[in-house]
Amino acid sequence: MACLDHGVREFVVCAGARNAALVEVLAQAEAAGLAVVRRHFEERSAGFFALGRTMQGSPCAVVTTSGTAVAELLPAVIEARYQGRPLVLLTADRPARFRGTGAPQAIVQPGIFGDHAASGDWREWDGRSPWHVNVELEEDFTPAPVDFSLAAPASPRPVKWPRLSVADLSRWLQEDVYRGLVVMVGELEPEDREDVFHFLLTLKVPVVAEATSGLREALGSLVLADADAVLRAMPPGKILRLGAVPSGRFWRDLEDLPQVEVWNVTPSGWPGLARECRTLTAEVGRVIRALGDVEEIDDALEHLDGNSRRAAVIDELLEAFPDSEPGMLRTLSRYAALGTCLYLGNSLPIREWNQYAQRDEPQPEVRANRGANGIDGQISTWLGWTAELTEAWCVVGDLTAMYDLAAPAMLGQIEQSGRVLVVVNNGGGRIFSQLPRLDAMSDRARELMLNPHNISLEGWATLWGMRYLRITRQEDFDALETEGPTLLLELVPSEKETTAFHARRRG
Ligand SMILES: Cc1ncc(C[n+]2csc(CCOP(=O)(O)OP(=O)(O)O)c2C)c(N)n1
């Protein structure tokens, strides 16, 4: 009832004997039209699915039994903490007297998520970070009708923000413009996108726009091509970061460039750098509206000079190596732009998409889990985020997919129409083959790093009733039929072409 009163209307239930009483109440709440309830048998996946639901803007609770079931939620809780998402953990527990006795399914649950989730008086919850409710229950219970007449009517979640003052940021933006300002835009919430778009068009400064900003295609010639290389060669004097922490290399390079001043405007409140920088914890759109009318700042260091030539060089390489991983992703991105939304898995997919995906068609709805950058729970998060959407796309690596094998158990409870799950199967953790240190490592160490394999995912598609298509060459895209229930598209790039592409790109 407390959950309902605090605006939690969606639940993912992972049942066990201990939480049976909660399951009964939720089933009744669902029948009364007060809650949306889905089920899963695997708590790690359920936690990430619930995290995905929170990306729609409302809280979602995952409901577990006691014991290790609770511990399985930790990765999703951590991700929610770093993204700033209202993930609620409703965990059933045995009565306190069992703690520390070794009795079955009795572990120390209060505080198990450390500082990744808060708990206590519901009125203290900020509505934008994880919240843990541990409920001690006797196993015996008698199912009985629940009276929901006292439940509060569905109302928006009570989100609390720090007080906002933009005076310092406003002054900083307009001072020392000759030092060069570059804006890096990470993941944005949909409601912030329009404000950011007009703000950047007015400033006319170079922009590094991640796919998850939803503005990567729309900002056209302001978006820096080959941004990491350009900025490393000539670091700007000032960086304004909007939204989530960017995934690009240059963001990490900033750790060693203390002369570059950095301002963050982000709802998560995380600076995303271990060095000195300034941070406003707020919704990005609200900050931009508070800044009011801004003046053009322009491209003082001429970062955008030669921009279209740099983009053309990359385009030519993609055409020269069409079956390479970047070449395949370029083609894939043209199809994905026809969908309604796109989830990008961590590791190479998000990085390669940012660099090589098409820029002609808008792809505004793009999400990723960039809080703690794990490769776990990616498919579950996607399914949660897009549970009610048609034509939802997802692109993940092969190890990432194998990490989340139970995720499709949810398919029967969500929208499936036009759903496409792309797994880029390059035979292991290929991102590590780009580590500068890898070549100097021993063969055995390299094997330990890469987890090489020859696995085909067709059997996995059969297991969960997904349609299946394997693409190994550009021509195979002709067989791509996105209409219908969930399609597993296994994309197998040519290793030879991928190696050649990177060799040429490095020059
Ligand atoms: C939970 C978790 N474990 C380990 C890592 C370290 N890690 C980063 S990328 C990666 C390999 C990913 O392989 P794959 O999904 O095949 O993608 P690709 O390397 O092809 O991009 C690993 C193990 C991580 N990010 N998260």
Side-chain angles (χ1 to χ4, degrees), residues 157-312:
R157 69 192 156 117
V159 183
K160 297 176 193 155
W161 294 99
R163 214 178 59 79
L164 180 66
S165 164
V166 298
D168 287 350
L169 173 62
S170 178
R171 210 172 312 117
W172 177 81
L173 271 179
Q174 299 297 337
E175 72 193 10
D176 299 342
V177 288
Y178 66 90
R179 297 182 61 209
L181 172 70
V182 170
V183 180
M184 300 182 78
V185 199
E187 183 166 316
L188 294 175
E189 295 307 308
E191 61 274 20
D192 296 335
R193 221 178 280 138
E194 186 86 10
D195 289 311
V196 173
F197 178 68
H198 293 294
F199 176 70
L200 295 175
L201 285 190
T202 309
L203 293 186
K204 289 202 174 60
V205 296
V207 176
V208 182
E210 305 257 319
T212 47
S213 71
L215 298 175
R216 180 180 167 279
E217 302 79 24
L219 285 165
S221 58
L222 287 181
V223 176
L224 271 174
D226 211 359
D228 287 338
V230 173
L231 295 176
R232 203 177 310 130
M234 190 177 28
K238 308 197 309 184
I239 290 278
L240 171 64
R241 167 198 142 206
L242 303 176
V245 176
S247 65
R249 178 68 237 173
F250 186 69
W251 182 258
R252 291 171 191 235
D253 292 345
L254 283 171
E255 294 285 4
D256 303 319
L257 295 170
Q259 73 276 21
V260 183
E261 290 179 22
V262 179
W263 259 95
N264 300 297
V265 176
T266 174
S268 77
W270 296 105
L273 288 173
R275 47 154 280 182
E276 192 190 324
C277 48
R278 280 171 284 182
T279 304
L280 271 184
T281 304
E283 298 125 300
V284 180
R286 192 157 66 101
V287 172
I288 286 173
R289 290 192 298 278
L291 285 170
D293 288 335
V294 289
E295 283 169 28
E296 181 178 323
I297 289 178
D298 207 5
D299 179 18
L301 301 184
E302 301 178 344
H303 280 116
L304 289 169
D305 282 14
N307 206 41
S308 43
R309 183 179 38 80
R310 281 192 297 271

Side-chain angles (χ1 to χ4, degrees), residues 347-349 373-376 397-400 403 426 428-432:
S347 196
L348 289 177
N373 307 354
I375 59 164
D376 44 350
D398 46 278
L399 296 188
T400 303
Y403 215 127
N426 51 25
R430 269 314 152 100
I431 191 165
F432 298 131

Side-chain angles (χ1 to χ4, degrees), residues 12 40 54 119 171 256 269 381 414 421 423 447 489:
V12 184
H40 207 316
T54 65
S119 60
R171 210 172 312 117
D256 303 319
T381 307
I414 62 172
L421 168 56
V423 179
E447 185 211 326
L489 197 166

